[in-house]
Amino acid sequence: MGRMSRDRRPDPVGWPRYAWGAGLVALCTGITGIMFPRFELSDLIMVYLVGVVVVAIRWGRGPSILAAVLSVAAFDFLFVPPHLTFAVSDTRYLVTFAVMLMVAVLISTLTVRIKEQAEIARQREQRTSALYSLSRALASTRNLDAMIAAVRRHVEEVLEGDLEVFLVDERGRLEIRAAAHPFARDPKETAVAQWVHEHSEPAGRGTSTLVGAQALHLPLVGSRGPVGVLALRLEPDRPALRTDQLHLLETFASQTALALERALLAREAHRERLAVEGEKFRNALLSAVSHDLRTPLAAIAGAASSLAQSDDRLDASARKELVLTIHEEAERMNRLAGNLLDMARLQASSVVLHREWQPLEEVFGAALHELESRLGQREVVLGVPDSLPPVPIDEVLVERVLVNLLENALRYTPAGSPIELRASAAPGEIVVEVLDRGPGLVPGEEERIFEKFFRGESARSRRGAGLGLAVSRAIVEAHGGTIRAENRAGGGAAFRFTLPVTGGPPEPPEPLTETGGGR
Amino acid sequence: MNADEPTVLVIEDDPQIRRFLRAALPAHGYRLLEAETGGDGVTQAATRTPQVVLLDLGLPDLDGLEVIRRLREWSAVPVIVLSARGLERDKVAALDAGADDYLTKPFGVEELLARLRVALRHAAIVGGSQASAVFVAEDLEVDLGSRRVRVGGREVHLTPTEFKLLALLVRHAGKVVTHRQLLVEVWGPGAVGNTHYLRVQMHGLRHKLEDTPARPRYLTTEPGVGYRLREPSA
């Protein structure tokens, strides 16, 4: 605190304070002059004492001492016999003078101390409230940038400088977050920040290290080690921070460090979770790809080698069987490759839907056309009302959904059972259904079958683990719709997805006038 | 080898695809010429005048579109492009640049033969053979001269726009026609991009011609590319 009071200059420096002190002594002299004929000298001295006390309270120690000396001089000169000389006839008055000086010094010292303590209390109060509001702001968010913004706002408000925060990145290097002030981009300043980070010691302006820096850099040290650096730049013409301000900044820094550490740990945990999920996904991908690619490959290789080596020993029907195997398995691999590609494309964050308003029946027709050979004689019941409004969809992608759902139905249902494909309009959306009369879904797996590479426990959901359904879900969700599967009353599975419809298509204009012949 | 057999030039860098074609095409009455690069393909197209070109869009030396442009500078030879699923935009670009049709890899020999057959028939019509004024495919009958359309012997009334669209598809029967080509022909170049106009008319047309519009026999949709009217019955 001693250093603090030395640095403090609560009142304006300079002569006006002393002039006020001298003026007050003059006033006291006037009053004493009026009282002089009717009072004892020992009473008159009290007037001066009051003046000295007032000066000490109002203008501090220096002016009060000046006032004491002036009071003694004036009293001696004007009122103590012999009058109008500084000579003193009675030595008692010397004691009076000494007491008066001592009282002046004592009172002014006490007053100054009280004023200082009041000031300290005020600052402590201000600091506490600043810290409180900062800690509240820090606790209200888990976002790093929001935290840094809060620190910047509070520190800049209290200390009136430019604040920047450097944070440790994943590789342990310092990075500037959301720099708002140009000094933070100065390589010299970042070098100082780096030094501070490595040494966990303050440096820069106002310290004893790297004093040439524009800003004061403080290390941000959390409970587990350094998390970054806080840099405060004051205008070059401003004096360096006072000790109390420095303390305040340090307190801000330690609070900030703890909050940032918390956020960094949360971020790290999130990243680890993602990495684990990514790892799980990669494993599922690998096992699915190796299974789903190897199975058809094994069949193709086996069939082809049989044909190549023992063609003459195979009868026509056996040869045909082998050739069909090769064909079917190759198509299966092609479907898998297509789904993998679709999935990869849909997962790329930049999926752009090429939406166009169109009647859904076009996409139905295209999907059924694509599956024509596989559908064979399978009965397909179509339910598309003529009144169905057009939908804004990416036809290439929605056709994939239908192909995947129809293929799924073909694969898991007996050859003779019918497949239904229906569409209906609901408020704000169109509902599409693919219904079958197969064995249905395993209870509890209705949701999981849409997961990538989901492989059910039962035989009916094992083969050719679906990417198809995962692709379908990704496409439907990209359109803003939902997809769901459930068992039907009366047996079989129902796959239902929605496509949102808002607004309507633009009105088509008249076509070109006829050019070739009349109507 | 019969000199009357049509010649197919395949421009494809993948040896396995060429090998498959080498085995499959002669068995179905085609002679096969092979080019591994776009440059060689353009040269062979000029020197050996094939009747059809099969062009892979992913060549190492030249962009498939560039090959089409070079061929189209002097030749009307039908070009069928080979491309993978998911690359609809490439296919559309190739078709709009002058290719006649496309095949999505992997493709079966049946599909390939159908495309070749359609391409050769159109080349023959352009080459001067009499184009039939009456188109017949199963129950659908379109008389371009008298502008009459019949389904199963029953006359169907089309709007002028519908008829214009249908006539255009009839002229390209069996081949895919892109959205852009249809929009330009029927609505004019200003309508390109407004595929919605087209879909409304196709919807109307399908409901008049097809028994089951959601599972059409005649007018099929090629998602992201355009429409195809089926080949006429032989």
Side-chain angles (χ1 to χ4, degrees), chain B residues 118-144:
Chain B
V118 169
L120 288 172
R121 197 186 53 243
H122 281 284
I125 293 169
V126 173
S129 309
Q130 184 59 46
S132 171
V134 181
F135 169 88
V136 182
E138 293 187 14
D139 290 342
L140 174 66
E141 205 182 311
V142 183
D143 187 332
L144 293 176

Side-chain angles (χ1 to χ4, degrees), chain A residues 63-82:
Chain A
S64 72
I65 292 173
L66 175 73
V69 171
L70 285 178
S71 301
V72 167
F75 186 60
D76 180 13
F77 190 73
L78 295 173
F79 305 113
V80 175

Side-chain angles (χ1 to χ4, degrees), chain A residues 334 338 342 345 354 356-359 361-362 365-366 368-369 375 380 382 386 395-396 400 505-506 508-509 511-512 514 518, chain B residues 85-86 89 106 147 160-161 164 179 186-188 195-197 199 203 206-207 212-216 220-221 223-224 227:
Chain A
N334 182 41
D342 284 341
R345 225 174 271 147
H354 299 283
E356 281 169 7
W357 287 94
Q358 58 196 292
E361 65 179 29
E362 283 206 338
L368 291 167
H369 184 71
L375 284 166
V380 179
L382 280 165
D386 284 351
E395 62 172 339
V396 176
R400 295 323 302 164
L512 291 181
E514 292 288 308
Chain B
R85 177 165 83 68
R89 308 188 129 226
R147 307 175 70 83
T161 312
K164 217 174 160 184
H179 296 142
V186 178
W187 281 271
T195 321
H196 168 63
Y197 307 165
R199 298 193 193 272
H203 179 78
R206 263 205 206 97
H207 278 255
T212 319
R215 202 176 179 180
T220 51
T221 305
Y227 295 96

Side-chain angles (χ1 to χ4, degrees), chain A residues 265-337:
Chain A
L265 287 176
R267 188 174 74 174
E268 201 176 303
H270 179 65
R271 215 172 264 151
E272 267 164 25
R273 203 166 57 242
L274 283 186
V276 169
E277 272 167 21
E279 183 64 23
K280 260 162 70 183
F281 176 73
R282 263 192 301 282
N283 289 341
L285 174 76
L286 277 178
S287 77
V289 168
S290 66
H291 176 271
D292 292 2
L293 281 178
R294 283 231 181 89
T295 314
L297 262 181
I300 290 170
S305 65
S306 307
L307 282 171
Q309 283 176 11
S310 36
D311 194 24
D312 48 345
R313 271 175 282 159
L314 296 168
D315 62 24
S317 77
R319 270 205 303 276
K320 179 92 179 163
E321 192 59 34
L322 290 173
V323 167
L324 280 179
T325 303
I326 292 174
H327 187 214
E328 280 167 16
E329 294 301 286
E331 295 216 313
R332 194 171 137 198
M333 284 180 71
N334 182 41
R335 282 195 296 279
L336 175 70

